Amino acid sequence: MTQNHHGSTGSGSGAAPGSGSGSDPGSAGVPAVTFDDVRDAARRLAGVAHRTPVLRSRTLDALTGAEVHLKCENFQRVGAFKFRGAYNALSRLSPQQLARGVAAYSSGNHAQAVALAARELGSHAVIVMPEDSPKSKQDATAGYGAEIVTYDRYTEDRVALGRKIAEERDLVLIPPYEHPHIIAGQGTAALELIEETGPLDALLVPVGGGGLMAGAATAATALVPGIRMIGVEPEAGDDTRRSLAAGHRVTVPVPRTIADGQAVETPGELTFSLNRWLLDSVALVSDDEIRAAMKLAFERLKIVTEPSGATALAALLAGRIDLPPAPERPGRPGRPGRSPHPPRVGVIISGGNVGLARFLELLG
């Protein structure tokens, strides 16, 4: 499905109490998150978040027929892109709000990000996590000083539980994607990628709640008008693909997939209000295709990815992406005319938080 870039947005919800949203989603046709917001987040994150590497591989280029640029957020603090949004949001809280503390709900990476950001800013965090979330993620979250409250993801509502705890303890709730400051922070990954690589023909981004895609698309479409924004979801959790086709948010059963970070039932209201205009299409990948991408990343690229972090790479490797036509570029000296060049494709590796035992279990 193809959507037009830069349309107006609908209303959003989920703002952290008292933190302010920056703009009223949809008011006077102004998007809830703008490129200026992403640039502002980048300035706030400078010297705090890592400027993660962009990797190239001739082997990967040969396998895919594209010039591939991997933005490796597995090297970000806490091992995933989530630190960008969490720190951007928490750093805007008042001293009084930070003293009260923060709450969050997450399958793992946002949990770690909020826990670390809270510690960096002298606050404390209470995190609601699924009881079946990877032990490595729970241990890391606790290691950053957070209190963990577990729940059953198949029978309990994490949003309701998070709100209840925040209200009872007078904490500031930091949602994983339904907030403009979270989205703007995540968009800095795409900003850095394009600043380093120059214009891209397409950008592939894993989609869960939609915060990374919304931020990345806001930045990428501003920097490279006409770039194709392609989201990737696990086959068992295609809520965003279905929602784009329907023209409104659709709910699917709780996905059972190895990509635990993308086990989302429905897109965020705010994120979907942005992605429905900025996202061109969504590709789906199977668990086996995700495993194959993790294996190639480890054996050939020498990097460790978690399942959710590898879905965009998996879609490219499995041929699930309809790549843009090869543009015509100037010929080399001594060769007149113009010569075709492979499409330049960016891929966000969104995280690498997987324990050794789980990694071996997945790839064994």
Side-chain angles (χ1 to χ4, degrees):
M1 176 178 182
T2 301
Q3 304 286 348
N4 293 326
H5 290 310
H6 305 301
S8 61
T9 61
S11 62
S13 63
S19 65
S21 63
S23 59
D24 178 19
S27 63
V30 178
V33 180
T34 67
F35 184 47
D36 284 342
D37 295 325
V38 178
R39 284 199 181 278
D40 181 62
R43 288 189 289 269
R44 190 169 289 262
L45 290 168
V48 180
H50 297 320
R51 190 176 180 96
T52 53
V54 177
L55 299 187
R56 295 291 322 283
S57 165
R58 290 188 178 88
T59 298
L60 185 57
D61 289 358
L63 288 171
T64 61
E67 181 185 306
V68 184
H69 301 261
L70 302 175
K71 179 61 170 172
C72 294
E73 287 296 288
N74 50 319
F75 291 111
Q76 187 52 261
R77 296 186 71 176
V78 309
F81 73 95
K82 290 283 191 178
F83 181 73
R84 297 174 181 273
Y87 189 87
N88 187 47
L90 267 72
S91 68
R92 298 171 189 273
L93 299 180
S94 69
Q96 294 77 17
Q97 290 173 316
L98 289 172
R100 283 159 45 196
V102 299
Y105 45 85
S106 166
S107 62
N109 287 340
H110 180 65
Q112 295 175 69
V114 170
L116 177 58
R119 190 183 76 179
E120 292 281 291
L121 293 164
S123 187
H124 64 279
V126 178
I127 310 293
V128 176
M129 299 184 71
E131 59 189 9
D132 64 345
S133 58
K135 186 175 184 300
S136 61
K137 294 185 178 182
Q138 292 192 35
D139 290 346
T141 302
Y144 292 126
E147 175 189 343
I148 297 175
V149 177
T150 60
Y151 74 100
D152 184 340
R153 76 166 84 214
Y154 300 106
T155 62
E156 296 182 274
D157 183 342
R158 70 175 189 169
V159 178
L161 182 56
R163 288 175 176 167
K164 180 174 182 289
I165 290 173
E167 290 172 3
E168 290 177 349
R169 303 195 192 186
D170 194 27
L171 306 171
V172 180
L173 185 63
I174 306 295
Y177 42 83
E178 284 286 84
H179 194 283
H181 296 155
I182 295 288
I183 295 170
Q186 320 303 29
T188 60
L191 172 62
E192 291 176 5
L193 171 62
I194 295 171
E195 283 179 343
E196 181 166 338
T197 66
L200 297 169
D201 298 307
L203 179 57
L204 279 57
V205 183
V207 179
L212 176 59
M213 172 55 84
T218 297
T221 57
L223 289 166
V224 189
I227 188 173
R228 287 187 56 197
M229 296 302 305
I230 303 172
V232 182
E233 294 181 297
E235 286 179 340
D238 62 338
D239 52 294
T240 293
R241 185 188 67 84
R242 290 173 184 250
S243 296
L244 288 174
H248 58 82
R249 293 161 67 222
V250 171
T251 299
V252 301
V254 177
R256 295 182 182 272
T257 171
I258 62 172
D260 60 283
Q262 294 176 273
V264 178
E265 299 168 72
T266 188
E269 182 179 353
L270 176 56
T271 56
F272 184 69
S273 75
L274 295 165
N275 287 332
R276 67 181 300 184
W277 301 111
L278 298 175
L279 186 53
D280 289 294
S281 61
V282 175
L284 304 181
V285 289
S286 68
D287 281 359
D288 284 345
E289 288 166 345
I290 297 171
R291 289 188 182 94
M294 292 174 66
K295 184 173 185 291
L296 181 134
F298 180 74
E299 293 182 344
R300 303 305 296 268
L301 307 177
K302 312 307 178 186
I303 60 174
V304 173
T305 66
E306 63 186 279
S308 302
T311 53
L313 177 60
L316 187 61
L317 287 168
R320 300 281 188 149
I321 305 299
D322 181 18
L323 292 175
E328 292 294 319
R329 306 263 170 95
R332 287 177 290 181
R335 298 181 65 178
R338 303 174 68 84
S339 59
H341 192 282
R344 306 183 79 239
V345 178
V347 176
I348 295 184
I349 304 294
S350 59
N353 287 321
V354 57
L356 177 60
R358 178 60 171 160
F359 187 78
L360 294 175
E361 176 188 346
L362 288 167
L363 301 187

